[in-house]
Amino acid sequence: MSSPFDHEALWTKAKLFLNRAMDDDSRSFDEQALWAALALELLAKAALARVSPLLIAEPNEEGTNLLIATGLVKGDARFTSVRAKTLMARCHKAFKPFDQSEAMKIINGRNEYLHSSGAGFMAIPPQAWWPRYWAQAAVLITALDRDIDELVGGDREPAVIKHLEQNTKNIEQRAEALLERAKQRRQQWLDGTLPSKVAAEWKNGQYLSATLAHSEAATCPACGSAGLLEGDEVVNEEIHYPQANTYGDEEADSDYLDDISVELTIGADYFSCAGCQLVLNGYELIKQVGLDTEFDVEGDADRYIGQEAEYGND
């Protein structure tokens, strides 16, 4: 019997569910989408568990799940994995360009279909739903160092490729529409012909911002004004040390610590421009319009100095 966190077993189960999901002849779209949504969660678990089973283990007070994931506890102990929302958040950070927001729309549709009287998957037509689904599933397949045909079979691979091509086209069209509308809106504002209702909704930079943890000024691709690129995720950290102090006195040591700097590389997830009201909410749109998908900011050097001091006291 395989371990509940074994990534190969999770991959195999995802294959089973997706074969059911792509069975057009005997299943309605809502049933297909249900199996596909379940498979997406399994793919997320497999991709994370392949890195470390600890990434999918639900922490509890006794630490049983973590101990099982490390292999320290065996036998009949029950393993519980983290919630789908946590899985998607971790995949969003670990496997670019996986989109947590898009993935959660799929998961929420599944929950609504199973647990409420809502429309669930039926709110989006199949021809729009599948391209969005495969855009996220394909990222997880790549994270597992697998190919699409390994998941669905060679006979069904062309259908998946078609959905992926359609999704790419949708992103291109969406980005173009947002840019053109922003240009039009700015020109109307400059000409004084902006409809009063739209003018009343015009926001300054403070209210357009997503207030993410980090930000950097960036040139707007629509109007050339100074916009704001934002992100929460720290992709990389670099600590820069000055040349070693040769004097050894207390004042020189203090100057040395003051000169330590930290550079953080941030993954961009949001862009806004007060000049034309353009908002790009998501990595793929930011990449499509040619903005930087990462930017550098200064980190808090005191945090790292403090960690080094604690380490030296062990």
Side-chain angles (χ1 to χ4, degrees), residues 12-23:
T12 300
K13 193 170 184 180
K15 286 176 64 175
L16 172 64
F17 284 7
L18 269 171
N19 274 302
R20 294 175 181 174
M22 299 184 76
D23 191 354

Side-chain angles (χ1 to χ4, degrees), residues 288-300:
Q288 179 63 38
V289 303
L291 286 168
D292 290 336
T293 55
E294 295 179 353
F295 59 92
D296 296 329
V297 297
E298 184 177 351
D300 182 7

Side-chain angles (χ1 to χ4, degrees), residues 58-302:
E58 176 69 35
N60 56 15
E61 188 174 348
E62 298 81 13
T64 303
N65 294 314
L66 300 177
L67 291 169
I68 295 172
T70 59
L72 293 174
V73 171
K74 299 185 184 296
D76 297 328
R78 177 177 176 148
F79 177 80
T80 305
S81 62
V82 295
R83 294 178 303 162
K85 182 178 180 180
T86 303
L87 290 171
M88 302 311 162
R90 291 177 180 176
C91 287
H92 176 82
K93 292 184 177 182
F95 310 123
K96 291 293 186 183
F98 187 83
D99 190 322
Q100 178 186 357
S101 176
E102 282 294 307
M104 285 309 301
K105 289 175 184 176
I106 296 168
I107 298 302
N108 290 336
R110 178 199 68 183
N111 294 340
E112 185 177 337
Y113 179 78
L114 290 174
H115 304 299
S116 79
S117 60
F121 303 112
M122 303 305 292
I124 303 175
Q127 63 269 25
W129 193 89
W130 284 112
R132 294 166 69 174
Y133 174 85
W134 280 111
Q136 304 313 314
V139 177
L140 299 177
I141 295 169
T142 300
L144 284 156
D145 292 325
R146 302 277 194 161
D147 294 321
I148 292 170
D149 66 315
E150 294 180 74
L151 184 65
V152 301
D155 57 334
R156 285 173 167 167
E157 183 184 13
V160 177
I161 298 298
K162 185 177 179 180
H163 287 312
L164 289 171
E165 290 173 348
Q166 181 61 43
N167 185 71
T168 301
K169 185 177 180 181
N170 288 340
I171 292 169
E172 292 173 357
Q173 292 175 338
R174 175 65 174 158
E176 182 180 2
L178 288 169
L179 291 180
E180 291 304 314
R181 175 57 186 137
K183 293 175 184 177
Q184 179 189 61
R185 192 165 45 227
R186 179 170 173 80
Q187 193 58 51
Q188 288 179 305
W189 179 72
L190 291 172
D191 294 341
T193 60
L194 196 68
S196 58
K197 184 176 181 180
V198 178
E201 296 172 350
W202 197 277
K203 300 177 181 178
N204 62 32
Q206 176 186 354
Y207 294 102
L208 275 181
S209 168
T211 62
L212 301 184
H214 306 281
S215 62
E216 180 187 61
T219 301
C220 176
C223 71
S225 301
L228 194 66
L229 202 58
E230 300 179 59
D232 279 325
E233 180 189 357
V234 178
V235 177
N236 188 45
E237 301 173 339
E238 286 189 13
I239 306 175
H240 301 286
Y241 298 95
Q243 290 187 349
N245 162 45
T246 57
Y247 296 96
D249 58 63
E250 185 175 336
E251 183 177 349
D253 286 342
S254 176
D255 291 340
Y256 174 81
L257 293 176
D258 289 340
D259 288 337
I260 295 175
S261 63
V262 177
E263 184 177 77
L264 305 178
T265 300
I266 308 300
D269 276 327
Y270 188 91
F271 173 82
S272 60
C273 173
C276 62
Q277 304 292 284
L278 174 67
V279 170
L280 301 171
N281 189 5
Y283 172 91
E284 289 187 326
L285 286 173
I286 289 171
K287 181 180 180 181
Q288 179 63 38
V289 303
L291 286 168
D292 290 336
T293 55
E294 295 179 353
F295 59 92
D296 296 329
V297 297
E298 184 177 351
D300 182 7
D302 290 340

